[in-house]
Amino acid sequence: MHVLLVEHDRDVAASLRRVLARHGYDLTWVRTGKAALDLPAVDVPAVDMVLLTLELPDLDGLDVCRELRARSDVPLILISGRADATEKITVLELGADDYFAKPFVMRELIARMRALHRRHSGWLSVSEGAVRDTRTSGERITFDQHARRVFLDGAEVPLRPKEFALLTFLTERSGMLMPREAIMAAVWDRSRSASTKTVDVHVSALRRKFGQAVTIECVRGIGFRLLLRPSPRSVPDRQDTQTGPHPRPGHAPM
């Protein structure tokens, strides 16, 4: 796997380079946000993952994160020297897949990278089982798991990686009430102690994008339940449920 490291600190970069090399990763290292954005490889599959520090000498790391996410769905992990809960929520809302505060444990970083890569490369279900190409009731929503695409009434709905993962997770458990902690653990690899506010942000985004095709209910203090709406074409006409002939408008019954 090829990793792009955007880190201004030489010592941190050298340490990451040694650890990643031991685990079989190839690394490209740049020290500035501009250098990262100037790399053509960021826009193509040549880069499998990005490790981006927020403290850069030239650009705001949040702006670099925003630009990278606008260009690509490449897995993106943010690293910060500040343990700020508000900042963590902000970077997740911008589309980052994970967040680490310095200093961090290298083994945990490698484990998170592997889990993130598994989800993006094969788009397995969050329970690590194979995801089927799924057509929902009424055929309104279709998942192409291998291409990471979702279609509503035949038209593609652009989704960010976490939105796709969250929708897949809830759809596979349609009708079930899923606790916030279970959603965070499955989609974001978070423990119970982690903030779950980011779930609300992504649920709101799915509600906006899918409208009446899905209902995502919030049960206060517990979690969320997704309900699928059938296509209007699959709902029988009221006249079809009655017996006997029906007069057409402007015609008297025979």
Side-chain angles (χ1 to χ4, degrees):
M1 183 167 70
H2 186 189
V3 178
L4 171 63
L5 173 63
V6 189
E7 169 61 66
H8 72 287
D9 190 309
R10 290 182 179 274
D11 292 336
V12 172
S15 179
L16 281 168
R17 183 190 295 271
R18 289 193 300 270
V19 173
L20 292 177
R22 271 203 313 270
H23 287 83
Y25 294 100
D26 295 323
L27 183 70
T28 295
W29 171 45
V30 296
R31 299 188 63 189
T32 66
K34 184 178 184 304
L37 297 177
D38 286 345
L39 282 175
V42 175
D43 297 321
V44 297
V47 170
D48 300 300
M49 186 171 297
V50 176
L51 303 180
L52 168 66
T53 185
L54 290 178
E55 294 81 22
L56 297 172
D58 59 338
L59 301 176
D60 187 328
L62 294 177
D63 291 334
V64 177
C65 172
R66 186 182 292 107
E67 177 61 25
L68 289 176
R69 181 52 72 229
R71 295 183 184 184
S72 169
D73 285 340
V74 62
L76 181 60
I77 297 178
L78 272 293
I79 300 172
S80 175
R82 304 184 297 271
D84 188 316
T86 301
E87 182 178 74
K88 178 186 295 187
I89 293 171
T90 299
V91 299
L92 292 174
E93 290 176 347
L94 286 176
D97 296 284
D98 211 337
Y99 176 98
F100 273 83
K102 298 176 182 178
F104 51 83
V105 178
M106 287 290 186
R107 289 181 61 186
E108 181 182 2
L109 175 62
I110 296 296
R112 293 280 186 88
M113 290 174 63
R114 287 174 172 169
L116 181 57
H117 181 63
R118 284 197 301 271
R119 289 202 304 273
H120 276 257
S121 59
W123 281 92
L124 301 178
S125 71
V126 288
S127 61
E128 298 300 327
V131 176
R132 302 178 303 276
D133 285 348
T134 306
R135 189 173 290 272
T136 65
S137 60
E139 300 188 351
R140 294 207 67 185
I141 301 177
T142 306
F143 292 81
D144 183 343
Q145 299 290 352
H146 296 293
R148 293 175 283 166
R149 303 171 72 188
V150 179
F151 300 85
L152 172 61
D153 296 331
E156 184 174 1
V157 180
L159 294 181
R160 291 181 172 179
K162 290 301 181 185
E163 293 171 355
F164 183 93
L166 177 59
L167 181 64
T168 299
F169 178 79
L170 293 177
T171 301
E172 289 177 343
R173 297 156 182 81
S174 179
M176 299 172 59
L177 177 58
M178 301 307 301
R180 289 172 177 269
E181 292 80 4
I183 295 172
M184 288 296 294
V187 179
W188 280 271
D189 291 329
R190 298 290 193 216
S191 66
R192 283 180 170 270
S193 61
S195 170
T196 59
K197 184 177 179 62
T198 188
V199 179
D200 300 81
V201 175
H202 286 71
V203 165
S204 296
L206 293 178
R207 286 170 174 163
R208 289 195 305 270
K209 293 181 178 183
F210 289 92
Q212 296 181 352
V214 298
T215 295
I216 305 179
E217 298 177 345
C218 176
V219 179
R220 177 174 290 186
I222 301 178
F224 295 91
R225 179 191 295 112
L226 181 142
L227 302 173
L228 299 168
R229 299 292 185 185
S231 169
R233 295 188 302 274
S234 66
V235 179
D237 192 306
R238 288 187 60 186
Q239 290 187 351
D240 295 337
T241 64
Q242 301 172 2
T243 59
H246 302 281
R248 295 181 181 178
H251 291 75
M254 300 296 291

